[in-house]
Amino acid sequence: NPKDLLARSENQDVDYSPEVLTVKNVCQIPMMKEMLKRFQVAVSVAEDTAHPKLVFSQDGRFVKNGASASSWPLFSSAWSYFSGWRNSQKNAPFVGRFQHLPCVLGKNIFTSGKHYWEVESRDGLEIAVGVCREDVMGLVDASEMCPHGGIWALSWGSAGSQPLTGSSGSPTKQEPALHRVGVFLDFGARDISFYSAVDGAHLHTFSCPVSRLRPFFWLSPLASLVIPAVTGGK
């Protein structure tokens, strides 16, 4: 009986001591992360959509904005497992690709269901991730990277994070600083949400249309990002 259950719950003593509350909060965070990872999908970039200044690792999961791989300083040993680098300018014609903004789309095309992926930044330079319609490659100005332009994305860097809405605003500072963001696209709810992949904290949610959507990535000058390998989910 729901009334009996409610009465029992109201009569129970609740321990509000700081020690117990701390444990409860810590326990809630892994549950959120595990829920999201149930819907995790493997995402990689589609080089044929990329601005020519972007370069990639062999597996399409590491992206850097730079003139050419040879002009950069040596990478740390953390990146030594990448066996080779490709410049998109040498591998794909200028058809259906970004020519004005340093962006690239994911290979994935989503039309239904729930999908989750993570993106990591390790240099503190600003990047933006989210989803977009497939017809955004002709955008010429960064102010068009917003829902009105067919892009639903969150940018973040050392200054903090902010949703790309087309209007200027101050980034929200996160403590600790964001290094990995989770993107959760839910066609049933018609929205896309962003989370800190470290602690599961919610960052922002956009309403988005039910249509063909693809992962979207933007990188500021010299910035790099990595799409971590899927460790669970589908």
Side-chain angles (χ1 to χ4, degrees), residues 127-167:
I127 63 175
V129 300
V131 296
C132 67
R133 296 196 305 259
E134 293 183 279
D135 59 354
V136 300
M137 272 82 83
L139 296 181
V140 299
D141 190 271
S143 65
E144 298 177 280
M145 295 193 305
C146 63
H148 182 72
I151 296 172
W152 296 265
L154 180 93
S155 70
W156 86 92
S158 58
S161 70
Q162 64 183 119
L164 299 183
T165 61
S167 57

Side-chain angles (χ1 to χ4, degrees), residues 2 33 55 61 67 75 85-86 110 114-115 140-141 160 185-186 197:
K33 291 166 60 179
V55 294
R61 292 194 298 108
F75 288 96
W85 300 86
R86 295 198 299 271
F110 302 124
K114 296 179 175 70
H115 312 277
V140 299
D141 190 271
L185 175 62
D186 185 345

Side-chain angles (χ1 to χ4, degrees), residues 64-127:
K64 187 173 180 71
N65 182 355
S68 67
S70 61
S71 67
W72 305 332
L74 293 176
F75 288 96
S76 69
S77 58
W79 306 116
S80 64
Y81 67 92
F82 290 116
S83 57
W85 300 86
R86 295 198 299 271
N87 188 309
S88 63
Q89 194 169 15
K90 301 173 183 176
N91 289 300
F94 282 88
V95 178
R97 70 188 306 168
F98 289 96
Q99 298 188 42
H100 306 285
L101 297 176
C103 304
V104 61
L105 302 186
K107 291 181 179 179
N108 313 64
I109 299 174
F110 302 124
T111 58
S112 63
K114 296 179 175 70
H115 312 277
Y116 175 75
W117 62 98
E118 296 179 351
V119 181
E120 186 172 307
S121 170
R122 296 183 179 177
D123 52 25
L125 300 177
E126 189 179 10
I127 63 175

